[in-house]
Amino acid sequence: MFNALNGLGGTGQRDEDIYASTAANSALYATFSVVGFFAGTVTNTLGIRFSLSFGGLGYCIYISSFLCYNHTRNLGYTVFSGFLLGCCAGILWCAQGAIMMSYPPENRKGRYISWFWIIFNLGAVIGSLVGLGLNIDERGDETVNDSTYIGFLVLTFLGACLAWTLVDAKDVVRRDGSRIILMKHPTWKTEILGLWETLRTDPYVILLFPMFFASNWFYTYQYNDVNAAQFNTRTGALNNTLYWLAQMFGALIFGFALDYPNVRRTTRAKAAWASLCALTLIIWGGGYAFQRKYTREDVALEGYQLYDWTSSGYIGPMFLYISYGIYDAVWQTCVYWFMGAITNNSRKLANFAGFYKGIQSAGAAIIWRLDGLQNSPPPYMNLFASCWILLAGSLVVALPVIILKIQDTVPVEEDLKFTDETIEDVIGYGVTYDSPEQKMA
């Protein structure tokens, strides 16, 4: 729902009111960057269900602030909601990352990530369709109506409640009888120290930090400087729907390809990196051609003509925006898969997820603030160039990890080094033996 609302551009606000969105999101991601980095400690100590439910409530308050802003112009509440959501979302997304990377066995991680990304973006598609349906007659450039915010508010609250139906990691048993590798008796002390131990024992993860930083940087440009800047309200809502549908398609293809059983995992990792390089060149090359057609000064002119879906030149920009959605899904799916291929330890993966979301949000906080400068915001082309350079450069920095640290399989003994569990606590008969009968023989 958050993605659907922000994907409308300006969180549904228009003209001078977009400042409320950029201010709230700057506060959100600045807080998220700090809380997210340490969120693995909270998730490992309090458990998955509490972390997800607590995190979900922050989204309700965030959306309610924009409903309030429509009537009161209360910027303080909007910024506070962003700050609070930063605290909640840091914990929620750490728990989500731990589930996605540690619950599945090694040979199914790609498809688990893809199924998560499909379900996650299905929510964004539903939210986008709500926004499209409620604003389908808005041919101008207007703020979305109250019904849109109320619909999102109800859906996010239901999501926070549904988190309590999930099973915590300690109770999960896979088909082969194996269990999730974690701390049996976590305490605040062990998990705070565990954060430091992760960096000490796995320093190479720092080479993935630029990929983490770049992974949300381009959202602000795509939402505000393409969708909101070039399309009217109803067409932006349509673009939003197509963007998230494209994400589902991209995640499906790449998630299953990353688990392809007839190719070694080390080879799949290198192929995924090469694919990201090619897509970065092709899709963002197309984006460069489109960005050359307009500037921030052009858009600010009175009477500037925005695209409508009935416009003769709409098809090309529409497919560019769809391509941006595919690219995002491929990037996020590959980054999660790279981390999940390094270890199967839930405790360590929770910290990896925390690093990912924290550093990702630090980048988002910076770009939201830059785009929201009222007096002298950077030119659209500068923001575009920053996206393209960050994405390409981070791939180069991450290459040593892809080549040297991803193995065809990670021995269970290696994963257990970071916990207080024994091999008998986690291994099922299907891991070491083909069947119980073979074990007896």
Side-chain angles (χ1 to χ4, degrees):
M1 296 303 107
F2 174 85
N3 282 346
L5 190 58
N6 273 274
L8 292 170
T11 322
Q13 301 295 314
R14 286 295 184 268
D15 298 327
E16 69 276 2
D17 291 331
I18 286 183
Y19 176 71
S21 170
T22 56
N25 285 333
S26 295
L28 189 167
Y29 287 111
T31 310
F32 197 160
S33 66
V34 177
V35 174
F37 197 86
F38 299 98
T41 298
V42 178
T43 300
N44 286 332
T45 304
L46 299 181
I48 296 292
R49 286 189 297 178
F50 176 86
S51 299
L52 290 174
S53 182
F54 172 76
L57 292 175
Y59 288 90
C60 304
I61 296 170
Y62 174 84
I63 293 170
S64 73
S65 74
F66 287 97
L67 176 62
C68 175
Y69 188 82
N70 266 1
H71 299 276
T72 67
R73 295 299 185 266
N74 187 340
L75 182 63
Y77 178 40
T78 305
V79 174
F80 168 77
S81 74
F83 167 81
L84 179 63
L85 179 54
C87 298
C88 295
I91 295 170
L92 180 147
W93 280 96
C94 176
Q96 171 272 329
I99 290 174
M100 191 169 60
M101 294 186 288
S102 66
Y103 278 29
E106 282 188 329
N107 63 344
R108 290 178 174 267
K109 290 194 177 187
R111 69 192 69 182
Y112 269 62
I113 294 168
S114 71
W115 278 117
F116 158 75
W117 208 252
I118 290 168
I119 295 168
F120 167 63
N121 286 298
L122 178 61
V125 169
I126 292 171
S128 299
L129 288 172
V130 170
L132 177 59
L134 294 172
N135 296 280
I136 197 166
D137 295 322
E138 292 288 353
R139 287 177 174 265
D141 194 28
E142 304 295 333
T143 297
V144 300
N145 53 40
D146 288 352
S147 299
T148 305
Y149 289 120
I150 293 170
F152 286 148
L153 181 60
V154 171
L155 291 171
T156 51
F157 180 74
L158 290 174
C161 295
L162 286 172
W164 288 101
T165 65
L166 297 175
V167 177
D168 266 328
K170 61 183 175 61
D171 299 316
V172 173
V173 181
R174 300 190 185 99
R175 292 178 182 177
D176 60 8
S178 64
R179 293 179 176 270
I180 310 300
I181 300 174
L182 39 70
M183 286 287 285
K184 286 190 293 187
H185 306 292
T187 65
W188 286 107
K189 180 179 178 180
T190 61
E191 297 316 304
I192 291 171
L193 291 175
L195 193 69
W196 160 248
E197 290 172 12
T198 299
L199 288 172
R200 182 177 58 83
T201 59
D202 302 273
Y204 56 83
V205 74
I206 294 172
L207 294 178
L208 294 178
F209 283 6
M211 286 191 79
F212 299 173
F213 188 83
S215 61
N216 266 18
W217 183 274
F218 49 79
Y219 281 165
T220 306
Y221 168 76
Q222 292 172 355
Y223 296 164
N224 287 358
D225 305 334
V226 178
N227 204 26
Q230 289 294 288
F231 303 94
N232 63 24
T233 299
R234 70 173 190 170
T235 308
L238 174 62
N239 288 346
N240 201 20
T241 303
L242 297 173
Y243 182 89
W244 301 117
L245 280 170
Q247 293 236 13
M248 296 171 68
F249 175 77
L252 178 67
I253 298 299
F254 261 75
F256 279 77
L258 288 169
D259 282 344
Y260 187 64
N262 296 328
V263 178
R264 294 176 57 183
R265 186 162 72 171
T266 50
T267 303
R268 281 178 269 142
K270 296 180 182 72
W273 181 88
S275 298
L276 284 174
C277 289
L279 289 173
T280 301
L281 178 64
I282 295 168
I283 292 175
W284 286 88
Y288 173 71
F290 182 64
Q291 183 55 69
R292 291 181 62 188
K293 297 179 179 180
Y294 67 97
T295 66
R296 196 180 288 273
E297 290 74 22
D298 294 336
V299 174
L301 292 174
E302 185 175 352
Y304 182 78
Q305 190 66 39
L306 298 173
Y307 283 101
D308 184 76
W309 65 52
T310 60
S311 302
S312 59
Y314 170 64
I315 297 300
M318 179 195 73
F319 277 107
L320 172 63
Y321 208 68
I322 289 172
S323 298
Y324 279 150
I326 292 173
Y327 183 87
D328 180 34
V330 172
W331 185 277
Q332 309 285 353
T333 299
C334 288
V335 172
Y336 274 119
W337 187 82
F338 292 154
M339 290 189 288
I342 292 170
T343 181
N344 301 306
N345 186 300
S346 176
R347 185 183 179 216
K348 185 177 291 186
L349 286 170
N351 288 329
F352 281 2
F355 297 156
Y356 179 44
K357 301 307 293 187
I359 294 166
Q360 178 188 76
S361 299
I366 295 170
I367 190 67
W368 276 106
R369 180 59 186 144
L370 287 174
D371 193 56
L373 292 173
Q374 288 187 303
N375 296 325
S376 57
Y380 288 150
M381 182 59 79
N382 290 13
L383 294 178
F384 170 85
S386 69
C387 296
W388 202 1
I389 292 169
L390 272 173
L391 291 166
S394 65
L395 285 169
V396 176
V397 175
L399 184 58
V401 178
I402 310 304
I403 294 175
L404 301 176
K405 300 306 298 184
I406 293 181
Q407 309 171 56
D408 289 324
T409 187
V410 180
V412 67
E413 293 82 4
E414 183 70 24
D415 285 325
L416 287 170
K417 290 180 181 178
F418 199 61
T419 70
D420 57 357
E421 292 189 311
T422 65
I423 195 167
E424 289 78 13
D425 291 323
V426 300
I427 201 164
Y429 68 79
V431 176
T432 305
Y433 305 97
D434 292 333
S435 66
E437 290 78 14
Q438 183 176 341
K439 180 179 177 182
M440 294 176 63

